[in-house]
Amino acid sequence: MSSNSDDGDDDLVVLKCSDPHRTDPEADLTEIFVSTAEICSWDLVSILTHEIVTVKASRNRLGEHSSYFRGLLCGSFSESCLNYISIKWNLEAFMSILKFIFGFHVDVTFHNFVALFEGALFFGVEMLLSKCKSWLIDATSSKGLCSPQIQLEDLIHIWRFGIEHANDFIPELCTSYLARNFMWAIYCNSFPYVPDNLLVSSIKHPDLTIDSERHLANAFIVWLSASTGQFESLGSTRNDWSGILEEIRISLLPLWFAAGKRRCCYFSKFAEESIDTIFTLVSCPSTSMMNVFGDDDSCHLKIRLTKYTKKLDLSGCPQINSMILLMAMLPCSYGTDLVMTKVKQSSISLEGIDGDKCQIAWPLLPTVSFEAVEEVYISNCPRLRLEAAIECFCKSFPSLRVLKAAHYLDFKMTKLRQLVRKCPLLAEVDLTVDVSPVIPSQVAIVSSSPAITLRASTASLEIDSYSSDASNLYMSRALLSNVTKLTLEGRVDVSDYDLKNISEFCSSLCYLNLRGCTSVTDAGISVLVLRSANLHSLVVCDTSFGRNSVLALSSGIPNLDHLPTQQIEKKHAKSLAFKLQVLHMGGCNGVDEITLSELISETPMLRSLCLRETQIVDNTFHSFLGSSLEMLDVSDTKVSEAALAHIISRNPGLKCLKAKGCRNLFLQKSKIEVGDFPPFRDSCKEWYIELGKTCTLEEIAIGWGFSCFSLEVLKPAITTLRAITVGLGAALGHDALELLPTTCPLLEEVILYFQVISDRVLINIMESLRYLQVLALCHCLGEISPVSFNFSMPSLRKLRLERATPWMTNADLAVLIQNCANLIELSLLGCRFLNSDSQQIISSGWPGLISIHLEDCGEVTKNGVASLFDCVAVEDILLRHNGPGIQRNFILEAASKMPMLRKISLDVCDASEGDFDIPNFADRYYLSIVKIAKCKRERCGLDFQTLRRTPVHRETLVLVWDSKNLTRTVIKERV
């Protein structure tokens, strides 16, 4: 369209424009005169500040491009002969329409679409209508978000405009866009204001894209909660809510989510139905699943997948099995009866099949490829065989890059090579399991059987020297996988042989997590480290990480001359240690002081450093040259004030500091010689001063020497604090604890050990900290009463009351439930007035609990354990010294009734028959760790005929299952 700015005087018409809905008090009440002959120089911002805009425009141009002006100026109307027309319309929109008519570009955005489209519709500017329509089609047809500036309220506004003006294409485009980008929408502040018709139509749209059915259910609950007032004002009934909620496929919800929503007023009915369905699916084999539900209900078992899905999250669903996963990969037209026919033709059952047999079944079915899927989360899915899932993923998810599959004990490490081979684009793999409580460096082992046999002799992996020639191992093998992040945390079945294999086909590793892998040796770790040229993050807490591994990190790496040395020696710049950004080696006692100091001196790029329970000395910190630390953990070490102050002064970006259990921080004089560190203020609290002056913290854990004075000095650094742990040796006092919510208003986690607390302190915490999610009072002194818990804390998720509320009764427990309704973890220790009725109060009040710890709590288990089984989603349960009524078969019964249960802790004192049956390897269900403590009764020193009333711990039997066997270990400690 070309501009027509040369208007003849005999062809002009005057448009007097005003906005009838304008309410701007700062508007210029004067009139401004402009001409389309000068349209190229219009300053719209200035023009629109006036109340009236008078425009001289070409009569012919208006008639050519606007049916409104064509009829008005060229037709039989009386105004046709007039040279003056009054226009009452939105000024900004009309001026933009004029610019478009006269050949100038107009940007269409989500913000102005309605105004431009409505104006173009009224004034009959067909070309602008076409432009708006094309823009909306293009903007809403993209796979992702069309613009970072898009707002959900703009989308709602456009949809409503389309509904009101009977433009079907607009609502259809908006609905489709919302369906494809539903995960984005549910996190928008305006989501509760989405009209019900738009919400329902987007849910029913075939392109609805969500990460999981849980997200859809939670979105509905949030929407209903915010819309309750609107429903009531419209006279709507509960049936309206049910109609919306029925769109949720409740058979695909995580068990913990469904259990937790039992008390939700909108969702309680559906939660119960979901739990019943989940247990039905768990109890029936895959091949008979369709016989139970039938073809009509099979759609409720189909996982939502579209061509726009990028993430699939099935975590926490014990009902998910190979058949349900397979159904999601089939074309919509593929009937379930045909699926069963094909499965029967394969002569195998999908239930419990391994990867090799799965190859037989899958090619028989026309599975669909979902190329957009990049992330899959299947952690805590006990019925889904990981090997079978891999066969499915490699065929249907060719772009898979992230796989999180935690708590798969049955997955053998020998299958890892197969996994990365079948999914060649995989970059991140998480195979975490629960870390065993049997850490040799932390417990005294009395006996252990059977011993885990390494698959290869560690002698063959010994490395005599780590000279620069050894670095040639880096280039010894071709790159076979794209895996850069590998997490094997807690896997005691990982051996040195496995690490050697991993080093051969995962040579691109950047992040490696071996925390709690107690079966690997220092030599085995060193081999993997030595062959990982790209390694920058290493987590080896509670392993045998030692001198050999340190030498491997210090070895030279070829072809790294491009790295800047800064002020580091050149030989250090060419080592793996120099590139390290994360080094977590807490609990690794195999590294002596000298070796540790040498390693730390070579790691100037570190951003996260964990040295808890190591042999760190002050000279180690003196040798650290880095300035980028964001996390530092020196808990339970001998580090001194001056050393800690030195490291803090060099790292102003520190966000997390953990120094609990550091007794040397309490000493009045530093053990460091005066010349070793830069001079500080003449104060015994040097590091507090330096921290308050230098950093902005988000998390802190402190103990010895921490006081009210320390908190005062730290104020500038802790105003944005999210989590605080105050441990043994700290003495904050009532005043400091009472000021804590004011000083740190954003706290989400407060953990107090051995502090003096009162009702006033606790009330202030519960009243003021609206974001608090974790509260722990452990062995605290002082007097608190039930009054402290008479305040609503809907955000609280985890609560530990250990030796802090001995007065608690069932009535107090009921009040606690009312005010802390959303707990998922509960730990009570020393509540001696509780009884067997407490079980029912806990299970009905907190049905969504995933962790229950009850110890020394009166007679909770005197009459056995029955009501706690109603907490069906529990993953961790501890019952000790609560009454000798627990049945002999409790472990097996709990595992069968709680499909997510992985950890059980008991005490023989509570066994009704004097002991507990131990399940065999095949019948353990999902269990990974069982701890059974044993006590003894000591005779009183004054009366040899009298036994002490309180049992004394003797030993603990720890049972740990892995992918190969069960290990029984007896340790002295109570864990």
Side-chain angles (χ1 to χ4, degrees):
M1 188 186 295
S2 60
S3 175
N4 183 13
S5 56
D6 297 323
D7 304 319
D9 291 340
D10 57 341
D11 196 33
L12 293 178
V13 63
V14 176
L15 307 177
K16 190 168 185 176
C17 310
S18 61
D19 190 340
H21 303 294
R22 189 167 187 172
T23 58
D24 186 1
E26 299 181 359
D28 190 338
L29 299 180
T30 61
E31 183 177 359
I32 186 172
F33 296 87
V34 295
S35 171
T36 56
E38 302 168 346
I39 195 169
C40 60
S41 60
W42 279 6
D43 181 0
L44 280 182
V45 175
S46 176
I47 292 173
L48 294 175
T49 59
H50 295 268
E51 184 179 26
I52 299 174
V53 179
T54 300
V55 184
K56 286 185 179 182
S58 167
R59 180 189 296 266
N60 292 334
R61 187 77 176 187
L62 291 174
E64 287 175 3
H65 296 281
S66 165
S67 60
Y68 172 86
F69 286 111
R70 186 183 314 121
L72 190 64
L73 299 176
C74 304
S76 58
F77 297 103
S78 59
E79 290 88 347
S80 299
C81 59
L82 297 179
N83 294 323
Y84 173 89
I85 298 174
S86 177
I87 301 292
K88 296 186 181 297
W89 199 261
N90 178 285
L91 268 180
E92 182 177 358
F94 184 72
M95 298 305 287
S96 296
I97 292 171
L98 276 182
K99 289 192 67 175
F100 183 84
I101 288 174
F102 283 87
F104 288 89
H105 177 73
V106 173
D107 286 323
V108 183
T109 67
F110 273 97
H111 179 68
N112 67 7
F113 171 83
V114 169
L116 287 179
F117 193 91
E118 187 176 25
L121 194 64
F122 181 83
F123 292 102
V125 185
E126 292 296 333
M127 293 185 67
L128 182 55
L129 279 174
S130 178
K131 178 182 176 68
C132 289
K133 183 175 181 178
S134 298
W135 175 87
L136 187 62
I137 292 173
D138 183 64
T140 57
S141 62
S142 58
K143 289 187 178 181
L145 301 183
C146 65
S147 168
Q149 287 79 34
I150 185 175
Q151 299 293 326
L152 181 57
E153 50 263 35
D154 291 332
L155 191 71
I156 295 171
H157 183 47
I158 294 172
W159 177 85
R160 280 182 171 147
F161 171 80
I163 292 293
E164 293 169 359
H165 291 78
N167 283 285
D168 293 340
F169 87 94
I170 294 179
E172 289 173 4
L173 291 175
C174 292
T175 298
S176 174
Y177 182 84
L178 180 59
R180 294 195 310 273
N181 298 284
F182 200 79
M183 289 301 300
W184 156 76
I186 62 179
Y187 292 108
C188 294
N189 293 333
S190 53
F191 179 77
Y193 307 107
V194 174
D196 52 354
N197 289 340
L198 174 58
L199 184 65
V200 172
S201 59
S202 65
I203 297 304
K204 292 183 177 181
H205 198 281
D207 285 340
L208 174 66
T209 303
I210 53 176
D211 293 350
S212 73
E213 210 67 24
R214 167 178 65 89
H215 288 92
L216 179 60
N218 208 46
F220 273 154
I221 292 171
V222 170
W223 184 82
L224 286 170
S225 299
S227 305
T228 301
Q230 177 184 356
F231 272 111
E232 292 175 351
S233 65
L234 295 175
S236 298
T237 65
R238 189 180 181 86
N239 291 330
D240 295 313
W241 306 344
S242 300
I244 293 176
L245 293 173
E246 284 173 356
E247 298 297 326
I248 301 170
R249 298 174 183 178
I250 57 175
S251 56
L252 297 177
L253 291 174
L255 181 58
W256 65 265
F257 179 84
K261 297 302 179 184
R262 276 174 163 173
R263 296 184 65 196
C264 177
C265 61
Y266 308 108
F267 204 71
S268 57
K269 171 189 172 184
F270 294 92
E272 294 293 348
E273 291 178 4
S274 176
I275 292 172
D276 290 342
T277 304
I278 290 171
F279 273 87
T280 300
L281 289 170
V282 168
S283 62
C284 71
S286 297
T287 50
S288 62
M289 185 175 59
M290 299 309 165
N291 298 331
V292 175
F293 290 92
D295 275 343
D296 293 338
D297 295 329
S298 63
C299 63
H300 296 289
L301 293 173
K302 188 153 187 175
I303 301 165
R304 297 182 199 260
L305 283 171
T306 72
K307 61 181 178 180
Y308 305 103
T309 302
K310 291 186 176 181
K311 181 190 294 185
L312 176 62
D313 185 357
L314 301 175
S315 299
C317 294
Q319 71 274 27
I320 296 296
N321 54 32
S322 301
M323 176 61 76
I324 293 178
L325 192 62
L326 176 60
M327 287 173 57
M329 312 304 167
L330 298 174
C332 295
S333 58
Y334 211 75
T336 54
D337 54 342
L338 189 55
V339 175
M340 296 310 301
T341 300
K342 293 291 185 181
V343 170
K344 290 177 181 178
Q345 288 176 359
S346 66
S347 300
I348 62 171
S349 168
L350 288 175
E351 191 72 22
I353 59 177
D354 60 25
D356 296 332
K357 292 182 180 179
C358 191
Q359 292 178 348
I360 302 174
W362 250 272
L364 298 175
L365 300 168
T367 53
V368 178
S369 178
F370 299 92
E371 297 184 1
V373 175
E374 297 181 353
E375 300 181 33
V376 173
Y377 299 171
I378 52 173
S379 299
N380 275 352
C381 295
R383 288 199 66 200
L384 180 61
R385 293 279 298 181
L386 186 53
E387 290 89 344
I390 291 170
E391 293 296 330
C392 176
F393 297 157
C394 70
K395 186 175 181 181
S396 293
F397 302 151
S399 302
L400 185 63
R401 286 171 170 79
V402 178
L403 176 63
K404 294 191 176 181
H407 305 298
Y408 277 90
L409 288 182
D410 294 334
F411 182 76
K412 296 179 175 61
M413 293 309 300
T414 53
K415 296 287 186 179
L416 183 58
R417 183 191 290 266
Q418 179 186 8
L419 168 62
V420 299
R421 178 174 60 84
K422 289 182 174 294
C423 303
L425 296 184
L426 261 183
E428 180 179 343
V429 180
D430 185 351
L431 297 172
T432 297
V433 297
D434 293 308
V435 174
S436 169
V438 184
I439 305 296
S441 63
Q442 298 178 358
V443 298
I445 298 176
V446 178
S447 63
S448 181
S449 64
I452 297 178
T453 303
L454 296 179
R455 299 187 58 179
S457 172
T458 58
S460 64
L461 299 175
E462 292 291 344
I463 298 177
D464 296 326
S465 65
Y466 288 83
S467 62
S468 58
D469 293 337
S471 62
N472 291 330
L473 286 172
Y474 283 120
M475 305 303 175
S476 63
R477 293 184 180 273
L479 178 65
L480 298 180
S481 78
N482 289 309
V483 175
T484 58
K485 185 174 183 178
L486 178 62
T487 300
L488 302 176
E489 181 173 313
R491 301 201 71 101
V492 295
D493 54 340
V494 176
S495 67
D496 287 356
Y497 180 80
D498 295 320
L499 294 189
K500 181 176 180 292
N501 282 338
I502 290 171
S503 70
E504 294 174 353
F505 62 84
C506 291
S507 55
S508 298
L509 278 181
C510 297
Y511 176 99
L512 175 64
N513 184 345
L514 296 175
R515 175 176 174 254
C517 296
T518 54
S519 298
V520 297
T521 67
D522 181 29
I525 297 174
S526 65
V527 168
L528 179 54
V529 168
L530 190 61
R531 293 185 175 182
S532 302
N534 301 311
L535 195 67
H536 61 63
S537 298
L538 183 62
V539 180
V540 287
C541 296
D542 303 317
T543 66
S544 298
F545 179 86
R547 180 173 176 77
N548 286 339
S549 299
V550 172
L551 291 174
L553 287 172
S554 302
S555 297
I557 304 175
N559 301 326
L560 295 180
D561 294 334
H562 63 282
L563 288 175
T565 61
Q566 299 178 349
Q567 295 180 343
I568 314 301
E569 293 183 19
K570 190 173 182 179
K571 65 177 182 179
H572 292 165
K574 291 188 176 183
S575 71
L576 270 177
F578 175 81
K579 298 196 303 176
L580 281 181
Q581 298 175 24
V582 175
L583 176 60
H584 290 190
M585 49 178 292
C588 297
N589 295 323
V591 185
D592 57 43
E593 298 176 3
I594 296 175
T595 305
L596 183 56
S597 295
E598 291 175 352
L599 174 61
I600 296 302
S601 69
E602 299 177 15
T603 54
M605 312 294 287
L606 280 177
R607 302 171 68 88
S608 182
L609 176 62
C610 174
L611 297 171
R612 63 165 174 83
E613 302 172 15
T614 61
Q615 302 180 42
I616 184 174
V617 294
D618 289 346
N619 285 331
T620 301
F621 272 163
H622 181 52
S623 63
F624 181 64
L625 302 177
S627 58
S628 303
L629 276 182
E630 296 179 2
M631 196 289 289
L632 175 64
D633 186 352
V634 290
S635 303
D636 299 302
T637 63
K638 297 180 180 179
V639 65
S640 72
E641 295 175 41
L644 194 54
H646 169 73
I647 204 78
I648 291 170
S649 66
R650 291 184 55 90
N651 294 271
L654 199 65
K655 296 178 181 178
C656 173
L657 175 64
K658 298 181 180 181
K660 189 165 65 73
C662 297
R663 290 176 177 268
N664 284 2
L665 296 181
F666 186 58
L667 299 179
Q668 297 298 315
K669 294 183 179 180
S670 174
K671 293 184 177 181
I672 299 299
E673 297 295 332
V674 176
D676 283 348
F677 288 94
F680 291 97
R681 289 179 174 83
D682 185 18
S683 167
C684 65
K685 299 295 179 289
E686 296 167 343
W687 73 279
Y688 296 141
I689 296 174
E690 197 62 36
L691 192 61
K693 181 180 65 176
T694 306
C695 304
T696 301
L697 292 175
E698 295 179 2
E699 182 177 356
I700 189 170
I702 40 17
W704 291 96
F706 195 71
S707 64
C708 182
F709 165 77
S710 310
L711 191 66
E712 183 68 26
V713 174
L714 281 178
K715 267 189 179 180
I718 60 177
T719 54
T720 57
L721 202 66
R722 303 282 182 174
I724 183 171
T725 300
V726 182
L728 181 64
L732 286 183
H734 284 83
D735 293 340
L737 286 173
E738 193 170 2
L739 289 174
L740 190 62
T742 304
T743 308
C744 314
L746 302 180
L747 277 173
E748 299 173 1
E749 181 176 321
V750 175
I751 301 175
L752 304 177
Y753 292 90
F754 300 101
Q755 298 304 299
V756 179
I757 58 176
S758 65
D759 280 342
R760 189 178 68 181
V761 168
L762 194 52
I763 288 172
N764 193 37
I765 288 176
M766 300 186 77
E767 262 191 322
S768 305
L769 296 178
R770 293 291 87 191
Y771 304 101
L772 194 64
Q773 298 181 30
V774 180
L775 176 63
L777 305 177
C778 305
H779 304 276
C780 288
L781 308 175
E783 296 183 0
I784 59 174
S785 68
V787 176
S788 299
F789 296 97
N790 282 334
F791 297 91
S792 177
M793 298 189 69
S795 298
L796 197 66
R797 305 287 283 166
K798 302 178 182 180
L799 178 64
R800 292 168 58 193
L801 299 175
E802 301 178 358
R803 303 292 183 194
T805 55
W807 41 260
M808 183 174 289
T809 64
N810 287 346
D812 300 325
L813 193 59
V815 172
L816 192 62
I817 288 172
Q818 182 179 355
N819 292 316
C820 305
N822 297 313
L823 289 189
I824 60 171
E825 293 187 14
L826 173 69
S827 178
L828 299 178
L829 172 59
C831 302
R832 300 193 175 186
F833 293 101
L834 299 181
N835 56 36
S836 57
D837 293 336
S838 304
Q839 290 187 42
Q840 175 63 33
I841 296 173
I842 290 172
S843 61
S844 60
W846 292 306
L849 286 175
I850 63 173
S851 175
I852 302 174
H853 285 199
L854 302 175
E855 184 171 359
D856 198 15
C857 288
E859 300 180 341
V860 170
T861 59
K862 183 180 179 180
N863 299 321
V865 179
S867 297
L868 289 183
F869 290 146
D870 292 336
C871 296
V872 292
V874 165
E875 300 174 12
D876 176 14
I877 188 168
L878 181 150
L879 300 172
R880 286 176 173 171
H881 291 171
N882 303 305
I886 302 181
Q887 56 271 34
R888 187 182 185 91
N889 67 338
F890 172 76
I891 296 175
L892 186 59
E893 185 178 9
S896 63
K897 292 183 177 180
M898 299 172 171
M900 308 303 294
L901 188 64
R902 301 193 315 274
K903 295 185 286 185
I904 293 183
S905 301
L906 303 172
D907 196 301
V908 174
C909 291
D910 296 326
S912 60
E913 300 175 49
D915 207 347
F916 297 104
D917 293 332
I918 305 300
N920 58 39
F921 193 89
D923 295 333
R924 62 179 171 83
Y925 289 89
Y926 203 37
L927 283 176
S928 62
I929 297 173
V930 172
K931 296 180 287 186
I932 303 177
K934 295 182 179 180
C935 298
K936 60 183 177 180
R937 296 184 181 274
E938 294 184 349
R939 295 182 182 276
C940 177
L942 299 178
D943 184 356
F944 290 98
Q945 302 302 317
T946 305
L947 294 177
R948 293 179 57 177
R949 301 183 66 182
T950 302
V952 176
H953 175 74
R954 182 177 65 183
E955 61 189 20
T956 303
L957 170 65
V958 180
L959 309 171
V960 177
W961 283 269
D962 59 32
S963 63
K964 295 178 285 190
N965 55 22
L966 164 65
T967 301
R968 300 167 178 254
T969 306
V970 178
I971 62 176
K972 291 183 178 181
E973 291 79 5
R974 188 185 191 90
V975 293

